[in-house]
Amino acid sequence: MAEALARHGASVVIADLLDSDGKAVAEQIAEAHGVTTGFVHLDVTDEASWEAGTAEAAALLGGLDVLVNNAGVEISALISEFRPEDLRTMLEVNVLGTALGIKHGLRAMRPGGVAGSGGSIVNISSVAATIAFPGISGYSATKSAVDRLTRVAAAESGKLGYGVRVNCVYPGLVPTTMGNQLAVDMAELGLFPSVEEAVGTVIALTPSGRLGEVADMADAVVFLASDAARFVNGAGLPVDGGMGS
């Protein structure tokens, strides 16, 4: 997503717990696209980390007008067997992390903030927020919360004149490390006879007939962040090949 934004001319700051990986990505993007980049250490579940991170990012960029809340975790379990500690982890990262990102993004971009010129916040929800798929009740619940946070934040931003649009994306299944693990989990939970059957079921439920790609999601984020989406606000954009239809 950061690379796609940079490809369209945006200066970007990577924020992550993984310092060495984050710095390497920022350097790669700067070299490939010739834009200003930077890295800030960020624990999305910690408010002080968000306060410091948004201030540092704004200083590195000379402003801040786009924030993408992309941190997320998925821990599969049957609802009759889930572990409270796993659900707490998903609540902390997926819900609290997104809520804090919205909070400090709005504070930075609203009039009087460290950036103060309005902007766009894009949250990453999931097709899991729009369908009932077995084995992911906790993930579905937390990603549904991201959808609701998005819409309320957009309403408050508009009502208070912040000049910040807030939208979210519902990605379909993408064969990233997390997506691949989900398919493995489905088989291990006994919900599908094999990993291949789990993946095949997702594809069969998708009118476009394939899994998603990282580029599909990144391009949607670029659109929502850009002026091309200037009248898109408080919306959830399905990028799931029709799976959630």
Side-chain angles (χ1 to χ4, degrees):
M1 292 173 185
E3 184 175 10
L5 287 163
R7 191 167 59 248
H8 285 80
S11 300
V12 296
V13 166
I14 307 295
D16 206 297
L17 282 172
L18 304 175
D19 293 356
S20 59
D21 289 349
K23 290 174 182 177
V25 169
E27 290 170 2
Q28 289 166 9
I29 291 173
E31 183 175 346
H33 301 289
V35 299
T36 299
T37 67
F39 172 81
V40 298
H41 180 84
L42 179 67
D43 175 355
V44 298
T45 69
D46 181 72
E47 178 143 50
S49 187
W50 271 108
E51 289 176 344
T54 49
E56 187 177 350
L60 285 167
L61 298 175
L64 182 68
D65 54 18
V66 174
L67 187 148
V68 181
N69 279 309
N70 187 43
V73 61
E74 191 279 321
I75 305 172
S76 304
L78 301 175
I79 197 165
S80 60
E81 308 297 329
F82 80 87
R83 302 190 307 168
E85 57 266 36
D86 290 340
L87 182 55
R88 288 191 186 99
T89 296
M90 287 186 281
L91 288 166
E92 285 274 309
V93 176
N94 300 349
V95 182
L96 178 61
T98 300
L100 287 172
I102 296 170
K103 174 182 179 177
H104 291 283
L106 290 175
R107 287 187 168 194
M109 297 178 197
R110 69 188 180 185
V114 66
S117 298
S120 172
I121 295 175
V122 184
N123 304 315
I124 308 304
S125 180
S126 170
V127 67
T130 69
I131 63 172
F133 197 83
I136 56 171
S137 59
Y139 186 69
S140 293
T142 57
K143 288 301 187 175
S144 296
V146 170
D147 172 271
R148 295 298 97 183
L149 283 167
T150 295
R151 294 168 193 268
V152 172
E156 290 184 1
S157 174
K159 185 73 171 177
L160 297 171
Y162 289 174
V164 181
R165 294 182 297 106
V166 188
N167 294 290
C168 69
V169 174
Y170 310 125
L173 182 64
V174 181
T176 58
T177 299
M178 189 169 81
N180 290 332
Q181 184 60 50
L182 175 61
V184 172
D185 292 345
M186 294 303 99
E188 291 181 348
L189 290 172
L191 292 165
F192 296 92
S194 67
V195 171
E196 292 74 19
E197 186 78 15
V199 173
T201 297
V202 170
I203 293 173
L205 290 170
T206 305
S208 290
R210 66 171 175 85
L211 298 179
E213 299 176 357
V214 172
D216 298 327
M217 312 309 149
D219 288 345
V221 168
V222 170
F223 166 67
L224 290 175
S226 75
D227 288 342
R230 58 191 172 274
F231 203 53
V232 181
N233 198 8
L237 177 61
V239 190
D240 58 9
M243 185 182 182
S245 299

